[in-house]
Amino acid sequence: MGFFDTIGDALGIAAPSVIEIVFICCALFGSIFFFTMMALMLVGDIFGGFIDTAFDTDMSMDSTLAFELFSIQGIAAAIMMFGLTGLFVVSATDIEVLAVFSGGIAAASSLYMVKYMMQGISNLQADGTMKHSSALGAKGQVYSRIQPGQEGEVQVAVDGSLRTLPARAKDSEELIPTGEMIEVVEVIGAILIVEKIGKQTKKEEE
Amino acid sequence: MRDDDGTAEMFGGFWLLIRKFIMAFLPIWVFLIFYAANVHVIISAVIAGSSVSLVAIYEKMKIKQANEEAKESQ
């Protein structure tokens, strides 16, 4: 009894045809590859830690490599789905054309799902770069007093986080003491040009 | 020098990966469909080989569509 006959018997398929052998191969090797990859991803940190300790090295699986492995995993999942769906359809309907067709659809669907998953993962990445222009119009308070014609520091919320940034008064002869409420009216490079909130309200009233 | 024809931006940047997968597996899939339908092996192989051109046609269509949309928005 041959290898494929043994596997075919185990799956309840007697004397598998060429198409059934293709399905068995895809399901078998796709599953082995998929689950091996999954296991490697899960135990990767433990294994990496062991290697680091045993050989005094610094091995890490960076995001690019993980991303590529994940794509390979998607392909393995697609092959596995092709084989499993094909086997299911061929045993249920006995129509090989339909089995190949539905296997292909299942493979494409699983790959599409992986694509969505990958997009979801990449959307989780946050860009920590602060744009100073986002501080325009932000309100906050003086952290380190701004002396006439000199630089001080202000605390303002930029992109959802509180930051302490260098600032100058719009009126170069004005002194803004610590704790005074201010508004950012202009941004020049990395320096914020600020104005007292009370002063602005007065201007608006005039 | 690599041409920047917009293929890299298709499907949120995943097209290059999808294309590789399709180019490898579409002919096999098409061949198996025709083989399972008891079509002659040579004819099945020719059709399977021709199916790769569908990927290129689809790619060109999508780029053309994207370019037209970009022109309209300007």
Side-chain angles (χ1 to χ4, degrees):
Chain A
M1 190 182 268
F3 175 70
F4 292 111
D5 292 325
T6 315
I7 295 169
D9 274 353
L11 295 168
I13 301 164
S17 65
V18 177
I19 297 290
E20 280 169 336
I21 289 171
V22 170
F23 286 142
I24 290 168
C25 285
C26 287
L28 192 70
F29 297 116
S31 306
I32 290 169
F33 196 66
F34 180 75
F35 288 111
T36 309
M37 295 287 286
M38 282 285 282
L40 281 173
M41 271 184 81
L42 291 172
V43 299
D45 284 343
I46 301 165
F47 185 69
F50 171 73
I51 296 283
D52 288 356
T53 316
F55 300 103
D56 195 24
T57 55
D58 185 20
M59 272 182 69
S60 64
M61 190 179 272
D62 60 10
S63 59
T64 320
L65 186 58
F67 193 78
E68 281 176 19
L69 283 174
F70 207 65
S71 330
I72 295 167
Q73 202 168 31
I75 293 167
I79 293 169
M80 180 182 76
M81 287 305 290
F82 174 77
L84 292 175
T85 312
L87 274 177
F88 173 75
V89 176
V90 87
S91 60
T93 62
D94 223 14
I95 306 167
E96 286 183 341
V97 183
L98 186 66
V100 176
F101 194 76
S102 24
I105 302 288
S109 312
S110 70
L111 203 72
Y112 210 68
M113 289 298 289
V114 171
K115 182 207 142 196
Y116 266 107
M117 221 152 69
M118 282 155 82
Q119 272 182 339
I121 289 167
S122 59
N123 286 345
L124 287 174
Q125 289 177 346
D127 184 12
T129 317
M130 193 197 80
K131 287 177 188 160
H132 284 84
S133 57
S134 310
L136 205 66
K139 287 173 184 169
Q141 62 177 348
V142 177
Y143 179 73
S144 171
R145 67 177 176 167
I146 303 167
Q147 289 183 323
Q150 287 184 24
E151 213 173 89
E153 282 183 319
V154 292
Q155 277 191 327
V156 283
V158 187
D159 295 329
S161 51
L162 190 67
R163 290 176 191 270
T164 308
L165 299 164
R168 277 173 181 266
K170 192 183 179 188
D171 180 1
S172 59
E173 287 173 12
E174 190 184 12
L175 168 89
I176 310 176
T178 303
E180 194 75 41
M181 304 305 284
I182 49 92
E183 185 174 350
V184 181
V185 289
E186 210 179 328
V187 179
I188 302 170
I191 298 168
L192 310 181
I193 308 297
V194 298
E195 206 170 39
K196 275 186 195 172
I197 285 178
K199 200 176 178 182
Q200 269 198 332
T201 323
K202 274 180 194 171
K203 269 186 192 173
E204 280 165 16
E205 279 171 3
E206 283 167 12
Chain B
M1 197 173 162
R2 201 169 143 245
D3 288 338
D4 183 20
D5 57 356
T7 45
E9 284 143 37
M10 281 168 68
F11 287 92
F14 289 95
W15 173 247
L16 296 178
L17 178 74
I18 296 168
R19 187 178 62 183
K20 279 175 193 165
F21 180 81
I22 294 174
M23 283 212 170
F25 291 97
L26 183 73
I28 300 170
W29 185 52
V30 172
F31 178 80
L32 283 174
I33 288 174
F34 284 93
Y35 181 82
N38 289 323
V39 176
H40 195 276
V41 182
I42 294 171
I43 297 167
S44 304
V46 170
I47 296 168
S50 314
S51 68
V52 179
S53 62
L54 291 176
V55 183
I57 292 167
Y58 176 76
E59 191 181 284
K60 294 291 169 200
M61 257 174 58
K62 287 292 273 184
I63 292 166
K64 202 178 166 186
Q65 199 180 338
N67 286 343
E68 277 168 13
E69 277 172 17
K71 270 182 193 171
E72 277 172 22
S73 65
Q74 278 174 359

